[in-house]
Amino acid sequence: MTSPALSAVAVSASRLLRLLAARGETLAVAESLTGGLVAAEITAAPGASVVFRGSVTAYATDLKRDVLGVDGSLLEERGAVDAEVARQMAVGVRKALGADWGIATTGVAGPGSQDGKPVGTVFVAVAGPGLDHMRGYADGGAEEKAEGKVAALRLNGDRSEIRMESVRSVLTLLLKQLSGEPAGNGRAQDTEQNGGN
């Protein structure tokens, strides 16, 4: 029997593929803590080959830098579990694989903390058309044009539950962007709204 969370992920993946196909757009995935689960869910749905370009599972930090183009000094300063790292992963995979949209996951599934971040700290990101905005990380806070949207999450559960909820969260984030709805995840805690960083 399929779990409710797994069923929700499969439905999200199918809906996502239909929306992208209707728009004539493509998707690429960059994964860390999910280790290929996002790509597996997308490719399990019929019609994936029409929109899915491919994925990069950059579990090691150096791959985030060397393959996805994440800023090396950012990785040294903040570690791999960071909102800006997630954003740069989504931008990087979008560019590397020539897709209209890029999505990314990074975080701590456990059992122990990573880079001082507790288990359940997750960042999911989406980069694509119309998601340009101003940000101030690079060059000591100088404003520069950036693309993408990031959701910071605090997830509860064991390693498997955190990983599957991360898959659902990144698919939901992209679905919300494609449909113009406010992004959010009913099960995840938004750390921005709950006093986190």
Side-chain angles (χ1 to χ4, degrees):
M1 179 173 194
T2 305
S3 75
L6 190 56
S7 297
V9 170
V11 169
S12 292
S14 293
R15 182 171 171 228
L16 179 66
L17 291 173
R18 283 193 308 273
L19 282 170
L20 287 168
R23 295 164 64 118
E25 295 174 339
T26 57
L27 174 65
V29 177
E31 301 185 64
S32 186
L33 89 148
T34 49
L37 291 173
V38 176
E41 287 299 328
I42 290 168
T43 57
S49 62
V50 174
V51 300
F52 187 63
R53 297 275 304 152
S55 66
V56 174
T57 300
Y59 213 67
T61 300
D62 62 315
L63 293 178
K64 292 174 182 68
R65 179 192 65 229
D66 298 342
V67 176
L68 296 174
V70 176
D71 183 274
S73 61
L74 171 66
L75 289 165
E76 287 178 25
E77 290 172 27
R78 298 187 188 174
V81 181
D82 180 80
E84 179 60 15
V85 170
R87 189 195 68 78
Q88 288 187 20
M89 288 172 65
V91 170
V93 79
R94 179 184 180 211
K95 289 178 183 173
L97 300 186
D100 297 300
W101 293 90
I103 58 177
T105 64
T106 189
V108 185
S113 63
Q114 179 184 336
D115 299 327
K117 307 284 185 354
V119 172
T121 302
V122 174
F123 298 95
V124 296
V126 59
L131 291 180
D132 295 343
H133 64 277
M134 300 304 283
R135 69 175 174 95
Y137 169 73
D139 303 319
E143 295 242 332
E144 68 174 43
K145 195 165 194 169
E147 59 180 302
K149 181 162 182 63
V150 178
L153 309 170
R154 287 283 298 140
L155 302 176
N156 299 312
D158 64 21
R159 181 176 174 79
S160 178
E161 291 168 328
I162 289 169
R163 293 175 75 215
M164 282 311 298
E165 189 60 28
S166 299
V167 172
R168 192 171 82 76
S169 295
V170 76
L171 295 177
T172 299
L173 183 64
L174 180 53
L175 278 169
K176 301 282 185 180
Q177 293 305 309
L178 291 171
S179 63
E181 300 172 28
N185 179 330
R187 287 194 53 212
Q189 298 173 4
D190 182 337
T191 58
E192 294 294 324
Q193 294 178 0
N194 292 309
N197 21 332

